[in-house]
Amino acid sequence: MKQGLSLRVSQHLALTPQLQQSIRLLQLSTLELSQEVEQMLDENPFLELADDSAPREEFGLEHTDTPVSQDSREFESATDSIAGNTDTAGANTSKESETTAEAGTEAALEESWEGDGSVESSPDDSEWGGDAPARKNNLDDSDAEASDLTGAHVSLQDHLHRQSLGLRLSELDRAALHFLIESLNDDGYLEDSLESLAAGLASGHPEQAEELEQQFAIALQLLQHMEPAGVGARTLAECLRLQLLDCKNSIELRAAMAICQQPMELLAKRDVKRLSHLCKCTEDAIKGAIGLIARLDPKPGRRFANVERNLVVPDVIVVKAGRGFKVTLNSDVMPRLRVHDIYASALRQHGGRGGGQALQQRLQEARWFIKNIQQRFDTILRVSNAIVERQKNFFIHGELAMRPLVLREIADELGLHESTISRVTTAKYMSTPFGTFELKYFFGSGLGTESGGNASSTAVRALIKQFVASENLKKPLSDSQISEMLKEQGIECARRTVAKYREALRIAPTNLRKAL
């Protein structure tokens, strides 16, 4: 094989640090963006939160349906061209590719600040997000935020410890009861056996382990008589039996006690005939017993669980305005940022002396960060306006009027890449007259209709929910019957598709929905 040299000229796209930051900020949720802003404020001395009394020149978006600037469109077109090649651009790290990509993308982006390293005062150094109201530091009861109201929490252990204070117990019994209470899981169950708990405390001393196990058995009896009923159970059957002790004596109660002695799979399947045979009760008594058990709480400790409360704050607010709808950004989630004027002026006076080059880079990073946040909210607003325009019937009539919509339609309309639309609609929420929804909620596939059009899968799920809500409880609708009813509405939907949508809506199958 003969060796030789050849010269080839080619162009490659590579992600600059500024575009990487722009793409990353676009896909962050509101909470993640807040954390990113706080981190940038700590790291960059040129970036600061704006003060209400500080003189400022508005930078960024007005919170109305404003047309998008030419600079913004150039930014997004450059971002989309990069986003479509994210997977392959990382491998092109040669000097030629970096020079070509930066020359092509930074030319469209560096119009807002000088690129020669000099520091000049510009509108970019003023505040962005100035319409956001200042947060109140002193809140009275009427102005308390939802996050403050969710702070008060009483755990299951605290609730049980308070009840134990009213019991006359010896020190040893109280210590054993305290140990069992602390060993409960979030559902109120005692997962470990008394033997394993005793062996863990008295490792290497079998005599002490036996005494501890007896002490735990006494404490368990006390624990299982506390509120909520069913706490301290080792299994689901034991939890149900403890709760049934508070019910009135009846045929259904005796049948329910007998059912709890059988495998729980039979109860889950509501196998009335087999349960009637095993429990030696009539089918009517078994049906009444299943209805009684259905009113019990299988997880008595769950109501005390400290579940993390994530409050959904909408990024976009849609309100009715005349015959149409007005789309605005939520000012509460928009950070109020600006470049520190004093530091920027001092750096401009000193020029490049005393490590000024590094400081100039930090200043440019602050400007880029503010501009990228502006572009993030600009893109969210544009996508939201397009969604509202396409799904106008939803905002008037509700989810039954939802039309099919895919990411490509919005991308083609706005001149963006599908990946950009996907990033915008992930973990971003819109407040509507019908509630708060994630932007992805407004996208859905279509099902064929007899007229040749398409029906949104969201609207089909809403129809299935209506059919099930209005069905005869003694004769619930099967998936095949629901499929036929949809065909009567002109929607072609197979039985398997109905089953898939029903499971997504968490609707039980026919045999479990049947009234007892």
Side-chain angles (χ1 to χ4, degrees), residues 134-176:
R135 295 187 179 274
K136 297 181 181 179
N137 294 327
N138 299 323
L139 296 176
D140 54 16
D141 295 337
S142 60
D143 296 332
E145 295 184 353
S147 58
D148 299 328
L149 298 177
T150 58
H153 171 72
V154 178
S155 65
L156 175 63
Q157 283 73 17
D158 294 337
H159 181 67
L160 295 174
H161 284 318
R162 291 177 184 176
Q163 297 182 57
S164 66
L165 295 177
L167 301 177
R168 294 183 178 181
L169 302 174
S170 63
E171 291 298 328
L172 189 58
D173 291 338
R174 189 173 298 278

Side-chain angles (χ1 to χ4, degrees), residues 276-288:
S276 175
H277 174 72
L278 294 175
C279 299
K280 298 181 180 180
C281 299
T282 62
E283 291 189 6
D284 292 338
I286 294 297
K287 291 180 181 180

